[in-house]
Amino acid sequence: MNGAESLVHSLLKSGVEVCFSNPGTSEMHFVAALDRIPGMRCVLGLQENIVTGAADGYWRMAGKPAVTLLHCGPGLANGLANLHNARRARSGIVNCVGDQATYHRPYDAPLTADTEGFARGVSQWVRTTSKAADVGADAAAAVQAARTSPGQVATLILPSDTCWDEGGTVAAALPVPAVPQADPHAIRAAARVLREKKNVLLLLGGSMALTQAAQEAAQRIVAHTGCDILAETSNARFQRGQGRMPLERVPYPVDLAIQRLSKVEHLVLLGSKAPVGFFAYPGKPSKHYPENASITVACRQEQDALAALTALAEELGAPKVAIGSNGEKPEVARGAPSPEGLARTVAALMPEDAIIADESVSYGRGFFPATHAAAPHDWLQITGGAIGCGMPLATGAAIGGGGRRVINLQADGSAMYTLQALWTQAREQLPVTTILLSNRKYQILLGEYQNVGANPGRVAMDMMDLGNPDIAWAKLAQSMGVEAATATTLDQVADLMSQSFARPGPFLIELMI
Amino acid sequence: MNGAESLVHSLLKSGVEVCFSNPGTSEMHFVAALDRIPGMRCVLGLQENIVTGAADGYWRMAGKPAVTLLHCGPGLANGLANLHNARRARSGIVNCVGDQATYHRPYDAPLTADTEGFARGVSQWVRTTSKAADVGADAAAAVQAARTSPGQVATLILPSDTCWDEGGTVAAALPVPAVPQADPHAIRAAARVLREKKNVLLLLGGSMALTQAAQEAAQRIVAHTGCDILAETSNARFQRGQGRMPLERVPYPVDLAIQRLSKVEHLVLLGSKAPVGFFAYPGKPSKHYPENASITVACRQEQDALAALTALAEELGAPKVAIGSNGEKPEVARGAPSPEGLARTVAALMPEDAIIADESVSYGRGFFPATHAAAPHDWLQITGGAIGCGMPLATGAAIGGGGRRVINLQADGSAMYTLQALWTQAREQLPVTTILLSNRKYQILLGEYQNVGANPGRVAMDMMDLGNPDIAWAKLAQSMGVEAATATTLDQVADLMSQSFARPGPFLIELMI
């Protein structure tokens, strides 16, 4: 058995079932091994940021790591931005990066690069295998690292001779480390704050704190203590809709965030970090909560948020309460597109257990209030701010979601970074409905520019305007095999959404906003 | 004056005239400064690998650096692959990467990343500015680094407070370090080998060694000594066609390279490296020249290759000779597409001083022999093996080439990595004719796979086949504002090329091969 075969066998034994792939010449032994050994679903992406973003989406829905197959340092580099987002989402991913043979590296051939150096900034675990006999054990260790709570990016660099040499040894799965429990002292300290203090904000962060079960425990705390509650601005996976709390998030815009948090005297962090600005702004504080607010960490990011919330509710003696109705499901909106109208339309039409992949950026800041009363669904956000996340995320979430409908709310500027994901959606016939918000500009930049205190002239507009030429998104999607149509009204969006939901494959609705 | 304004003024003073840009929220002060201060041509790319690849192409043709404007670590990460290629091309580029404010960095906001860490693997020079007063001087130092022979990638990281704070100071241009001269001892040693030994190969590398003037000196040496001569496999800029030597390159495929070099007893390196494999292969040597061949370095990569070749010719007492005719210009080929037929057609029709941006990968390995007799032209290759170079390179070369026609010979698989470059070509109405070689597979991988000794099954083919769905390239180009048409015969290619050359803007010919 060669090293490549031991890799595939070991990954399978460790429970990895999906390989998102963009192989190059140095990975042919892996491709050959994947061809010979059944059991791994291989999904091709035509650029590496599709591959890594899809692995992120897969983890968020499947709760277990996929493997990526990437080609040398530059291939990894192409996927770094979505690995950055994955790291911020606390997603588990195993990257396998093929590289120059150990003995060939000193010759500094053209594709030779500092692969480990590129990997470090996005990975909690990096290893370069040195010989075929180690490949299987290193793969098992990588999966173990990826599955370590709350989820980690593990990058395994495999020189090509480690894959073609004989001597590969299949490794058994290593135990997944138990999710650490919150410190009982921390729970008691948080309970004390919640019981004794006023103007307490319970801030939830991380997928574990935003499941329906976690929200049921949080609801007990809120009902019993009257504390304020919010989720972080960006969340990897947020269970929402009927049966879940009508939770809002810390606002993104700095002034709104500061205003929303202005009365907070005590922050209780549960899987979250104390809210700071996405960026600094001249004359505005980095921290968005009052300087003299106390901070109590009830549960760290890697700790068991459900158990912590339950323990906190018990410690407070909070009785069990049901999460109430979020009201009537909105009706489809009509007429000219607006953020609120679109949100209502999506809420009205989304099937039960839909997955929302949200990279709507500025247009989508107000999508939450109008969707609380939708059918139960999962909402996935861009977590690291590296745009170009939405379409790959939707692709991977569709594979990890086991047939559930994915609705990708997608800004046009961000979409252009990773539009190749559409091709993968077409090839795999994934149930992804993309609502492409075509405003033909980097709207978020225009807002920021005006914050800088200037009106953009010609040169500035040229760097923020995506018109001239306009991008014909429906045509672009069709060119990659995805059915698509253009809508200029919400009526048309509703009609196209209904058509798309009734059919199995991908569909793109180009919405002129 | 704020730091951003001092940046723009200082770059202009250092002779930088073009900014390839993909700004984000933290770069709005730069955008505002570029808007207020005239003199910089700003070119927007919709993904960062377009921006960096264009800067590479610009340097190769203009011989001076452009500046890139990138957004934080992940924005830089998206452009790393083409910076890797630029580093291998020895291109000079100044990257300006906006980043978190100095005082905001400790809060680890979502977009915070190890920007310096990402930069190091592709940059010869990295600096993070710490205050507004330093921005101008740091920019001048970055340009100086970029212009240091043979050309370097310089990355300047600019925390956002260094750009909005007052106290910016305009810096004068720093002197460009003189191109170092080859050691006279090295020239004499090389002359001795060329005079006294048999089976000597003079291997040229780097743009300086491949200009017409350098080839005129090389021709004297070849005519006088009868030595063999080749260029490296991949070259940043290669002056070719009538009036230039009919130079061939070291072949890419390992067996062909070993065979071509099998009789070499003495290697004389002039701006080049001794030839090694792009990758290692089981049972095949890393070095492609005979193990016992002697190696003489006449001129290092950063040294003045023209002066070295001239000195070598003089040292040998080689009389001046003209470069002879390369024969009759080929005629347009007809009928079914073939690599040789396409090369002949391109040679027949290319206008004088055309620029060829070549990412034709496997299809284009034999393009050289049929194009020696074309009109004089510049041929740019992918130098670092990170695919996705061709379309951005063509974009930047068109801007650096001052109106010269660019012909982008472009493989489809590689094109998908950076297809957003088409939009920039449309916006800037650049004279780029793309010949998109649509074979709907990663042909190079199929070849490598068969080298591994296997016939691909379904899973393997799924990772190397770009069909299912086929990509409709003409439609895709049109969706981004580039005129396009499909050709299935060489007659049609010839007709579309002629039409395109008669018009000013970009055009894409989808050639079904």
Side-chain angles (χ1 to χ4, degrees):
Chain A
M1 182 183 305
N2 68 24
E5 290 161 332
S6 75
L7 176 80
V8 176
H9 281 300
S10 301
L11 289 171
L12 288 168
K13 276 200 181 289
S14 284
V16 178
E17 295 171 349
V18 175
C19 174
F20 294 103
S21 172
N22 185 267
T25 39
S26 55
E27 289 76 46
M28 286 303 101
H29 287 84
F30 295 122
V31 173
L34 288 163
D35 202 45
R36 279 195 294 270
I37 303 162
M40 187 78 77
R41 179 174 180 184
C42 295
V43 178
L44 180 62
L46 299 189
Q47 199 264 5
E48 292 85 348
N49 224 19
I50 315 308
V51 169
T52 54
D56 182 8
Y58 176 84
W59 164 274
R60 296 197 202 183
M61 293 314 303
K64 58 184 177 180
V67 63
T68 68
L69 184 54
L70 304 169
H71 180 46
C72 297
L76 171 63
N78 277 335
L80 287 176
N82 273 337
L83 289 173
H84 169 88
N85 286 324
R87 179 173 74 91
R88 294 292 187 187
R90 311 165 198 170
S91 291
I93 295 176
V94 175
N95 298 309
C96 287
V97 187
D99 212 342
Q100 298 289 0
T102 51
Y103 59 84
H104 197 65
R105 171 163 277 277
Y107 296 105
D108 194 36
L111 258 173
T112 310
D114 183 7
T115 313
E116 284 197 0
F118 289 152
R120 277 196 196 96
V122 295
S123 311
Q124 282 93 345
W125 185 101
V126 179
R127 185 178 293 177
T128 300
T129 298
S130 60
K131 58 182 193 291
D134 294 343
V135 171
D138 287 349
V143 177
Q144 185 183 47
R147 300 187 79 150
T148 298
S149 181
Q152 301 193 117
V153 177
T155 301
L156 178 61
I157 299 163
L158 294 159
S160 54
D161 50 337
T162 68
C163 74
W164 71 54
D165 279 350
E166 291 299 312
T169 306
V170 180
L174 295 171
V176 179
V179 179
Q181 297 300 308
D183 183 341
H185 296 290
I187 297 294
R188 282 196 292 274
R192 216 155 36 233
V193 170
L194 283 158
R195 192 186 297 118
E196 296 170 8
K197 306 293 185 183
K198 282 187 302 189
N199 297 319
V200 180
L201 171 65
L202 177 61
L203 183 63
L204 304 183
S207 303
M208 283 191 280
L210 295 170
T211 61
Q212 177 167 330
Q215 291 179 46
E216 285 167 357
Q219 175 65 26
R220 293 170 61 189
I221 298 166
V222 171
H224 187 68
T225 67
C227 72
D228 192 6
I229 185 166
L230 283 174
E232 289 184 313
T233 306
S234 299
N235 301 282
R237 180 178 176 182
F238 197 149
Q239 298 205 309
R240 304 186 66 250
Q242 292 295 359
R244 286 84 186 255
M245 294 179 81
L247 265 176
E248 281 299 331
R249 299 170 293 152
V250 176
Y252 173 94
V254 52
D255 294 332
L256 290 182
I258 291 171
Q259 189 193 343
R260 177 65 182 81
L261 302 175
S262 60
K263 296 202 172 59
V264 173
E265 292 177 42
H266 304 279
L267 257 175
V268 175
L269 303 181
L270 208 138
S272 58
K273 291 166 66 175
V276 298
F278 210 85
F279 297 106
Y281 295 89
K284 295 182 180 176
S286 285
K287 297 178 185 174
H288 287 177
Y289 53 94
E291 188 62 46
N292 56 358
S294 80
I295 296 180
T296 306
V297 180
C299 172
R300 293 204 311 269
Q301 298 179 0
E302 73 279 14
Q303 293 174 333
D304 186 336
L306 171 58
L309 281 162
T310 306
L312 194 49
E314 294 294 324
E315 178 73 24
L316 288 161
K320 296 207 170 163
V321 288
I323 292 177
S325 166
N326 289 336
E328 285 280 300
K329 185 195 280 192
E331 298 204 343
V332 164
R334 313 228 161 256
S338 69
E340 203 233 331
L342 179 61
R344 278 167 45 213
T345 304
V346 169
L349 296 177
M350 71 165 80
E352 191 152 320
D353 281 332
I355 301 162
I356 311 289
D358 176 8
E359 195 179 29
S360 52
V361 194
S362 52
Y363 198 77
R365 295 223 179 103
F367 281 172
F368 265 33
T371 52
H372 289 311
H377 60 275
D378 285 280
W379 197 289
L380 319 184
Q381 289 183 274
I382 171 172
T383 48
I387 60 175
C389 179
M391 288 184 162
L393 199 65
T395 305
I399 291 171
R404 292 165 62 179
R405 171 62 48 177
V406 179
I407 302 170
N408 177 198
L409 304 172
Q410 183 61 54
D412 56 351
S414 303
M416 277 303 284
Y417 288 75
T418 46
L419 68 169
Q420 303 94 335
L422 291 170
W423 182 88
T424 301
Q425 293 173 14
R427 165 171 284 196
E428 301 289 327
Q429 281 299 297
L430 299 176
V432 179
T433 306
T434 301
I435 301 178
L436 196 292
L437 306 163
S438 180
N439 67 359
R440 301 170 158 133
K441 54 180 87 80
Y442 290 129
Q443 181 62 45
I444 193 170
L445 297 193
L446 274 167
E448 299 280 345
Y449 194 90
Q450 278 144 6
N451 281 347
V452 166
N455 283 318
R458 169 72 202 283
V459 171
M461 273 312 297
D462 277 354
M463 285 195 272
M464 297 185 282
D465 175 17
L466 304 182
N468 179 28
D470 288 338
I471 295 163
W473 274 99
K475 195 168 183 176
L476 195 159
Q478 290 159 0
S479 76
M480 288 191 272
V482 171
E483 279 193 90
T486 301
T488 55
T489 66
L490 290 170
D491 313 59
Q492 290 169 335
V493 172
D495 185 46
L496 291 168
M497 280 177 71
S498 298
Q499 286 181 42
S500 166
F501 297 163
R503 281 188 282 179
F507 193 91
L508 182 138
I509 302 166
E510 176 186 33
L511 176 59
M512 312 310 278
I513 59 172
Chain B
M1 183 184 306
N2 68 24
E5 290 160 332
S6 75
L7 176 80
V8 176
H9 281 301
S10 301
L11 290 170
L12 288 168
K13 275 198 182 290
S14 286
V16 178
E17 295 170 349
V18 176
C19 174
F20 295 102
S21 172
N22 186 268
T25 40
S26 56
E27 289 76 46
M28 285 304 101
H29 287 84
F30 295 121
V31 173
L34 288 163
D35 202 44
R36 280 195 294 271
I37 303 163
M40 188 77 78
R41 179 173 179 184
C42 296
V43 178
L44 181 62
L46 300 188
Q47 198 265 5
E48 292 85 348
N49 224 19
I50 316 307
V51 169
T52 55
D56 182 8
Y58 176 84
W59 163 274
R60 296 197 202 182
M61 292 314 303
K64 59 185 178 180
V67 63
T68 69
L69 184 54
L70 304 169
H71 181 45
C72 298
L76 171 63
N78 277 335
L80 287 176
N82 273 338
L83 289 173
H84 169 88
N85 285 324
R87 180 173 73 91
R88 293 293 185 188
R90 312 166 197 167
S91 292
I93 296 176
V94 175
N95 298 309
C96 287
V97 188
D99 212 343
Q100 298 289 359
T102 51
Y103 59 84
H104 197 65
R105 172 161 277 278
Y107 296 105
D108 194 35
L111 257 174
T112 310
D114 183 6
T115 313
E116 285 198 359
F118 289 153
R120 276 196 197 96
V122 294
S123 311
Q124 282 93 347
W125 185 100
V126 179
R127 185 178 295 177
T128 300
T129 298
S130 60
K131 60 181 190 294
D134 294 343
V135 171
D138 286 350
V143 177
Q144 186 184 46
R147 298 187 80 151
T148 298
S149 181
Q152 301 194 118
V153 177
T155 301
L156 179 61
I157 300 164
L158 295 159
S160 54
D161 50 338
T162 69
C163 74
W164 72 55
D165 279 351
E166 289 300 312
T169 305
V170 180
L174 295 171
V176 179
V179 179
Q181 297 301 308
D183 182 340
H185 295 292
I187 297 294
R188 282 197 292 274
R192 215 158 34 235
V193 171
L194 283 157
R195 194 185 296 119
E196 295 170 8
K197 306 292 186 184
K198 283 187 300 191
N199 297 319
V200 181
L201 172 65
L202 178 60
L203 183 64
L204 305 183
S207 302
M208 283 191 280
L210 294 169
T211 62
Q212 178 167 328
Q215 291 179 44
E216 284 167 357
Q219 175 65 27
R220 291 170 63 188
I221 298 166
V222 172
H224 187 67
T225 67
C227 72
D228 192 6
I229 186 166
L230 283 174
E232 289 184 311
T233 305
S234 299
N235 301 285
R237 180 177 176 182
F238 197 149
Q239 298 205 310
R240 304 186 64 251
Q242 292 294 359
R244 288 83 186 256
M245 294 179 80
L247 266 175
E248 282 298 332
R249 299 170 294 151
V250 176
Y252 174 93
V254 51
D255 294 332
L256 290 182
I258 290 171
Q259 189 193 343
R260 177 65 182 81
L261 302 175
S262 61
K263 295 203 172 60
V264 173
E265 293 177 42
H266 304 279
L267 257 175
V268 175
L269 303 180
L270 209 138
S272 57
K273 291 166 66 176
V276 298
F278 210 85
F279 296 107
Y281 295 90
K284 294 182 182 177
S286 285
K287 297 178 185 175
H288 286 176
Y289 53 93
E291 188 63 46
N292 55 358
S294 79
I295 295 180
T296 307
V297 180
C299 172
R300 293 204 310 270
Q301 296 179 1
E302 73 280 14
Q303 293 174 332
D304 185 337
L306 171 58
L309 281 162
T310 306
L312 195 49
E314 294 293 323
E315 177 74 24
L316 287 163
K320 297 205 171 166
V321 288
I323 292 176
S325 166
N326 288 337
E328 286 280 302
K329 185 194 278 191
E331 297 204 346
V332 164
R334 313 227 162 258
S338 69
E340 204 234 330
L342 179 60
R344 277 168 44 212
T345 303
V346 169
L349 296 176
M350 72 165 80
E352 192 153 322
D353 281 331
I355 301 162
I356 311 291
D358 176 10
E359 195 179 29
S360 51
V361 194
S362 52
Y363 198 76
R365 294 221 179 103
F367 280 172
F368 265 32
T371 51
H372 289 312
H377 61 275
D378 285 280
W379 197 288
L380 318 184
Q381 290 183 275
I382 171 172
T383 48
I387 60 175
C389 179
M391 287 184 162
L393 198 65
T395 305
I399 291 171
R404 293 165 61 180
R405 173 60 50 178
V406 178
I407 302 169
N408 178 199
L409 304 172
Q410 183 60 53
D412 56 350
S414 303
M416 277 303 283
Y417 288 75
T418 46
L419 68 168
Q420 303 95 335
L422 291 170
W423 182 88
T424 301
Q425 293 173 13
R427 165 171 283 198
E428 301 289 328
Q429 281 298 297
L430 299 176
V432 179
T433 306
T434 302
I435 301 178
L436 197 290
L437 306 164
S438 180
N439 67 0
R440 301 171 159 132
K441 54 179 87 79
Y442 290 129
Q443 181 61 44
I444 193 169
L445 298 193
L446 275 166
E448 298 281 344
Y449 195 91
Q450 279 146 3
N451 280 347
V452 166
N455 281 318
R458 170 72 200 281
V459 172
M461 272 313 295
D462 275 354
M463 286 194 270
M464 297 185 281
D465 175 16
L466 304 182
N468 179 29
D470 288 338
I471 295 163
W473 274 99
K475 196 168 182 175
L476 195 159
Q478 289 159 1
S479 76
M480 288 191 270
V482 171
E483 280 193 88
T486 301
T488 55
T489 66
L490 290 171
D491 313 58
Q492 290 168 335
V493 172
D495 184 45
L496 292 167
M497 279 176 72
S498 298
Q499 284 181 42
S500 166
F501 296 165
R503 281 188 283 179
F507 194 90
L508 182 140
I509 303 166
E510 176 187 32
L511 176 60
M512 314 308 278
I513 58 173

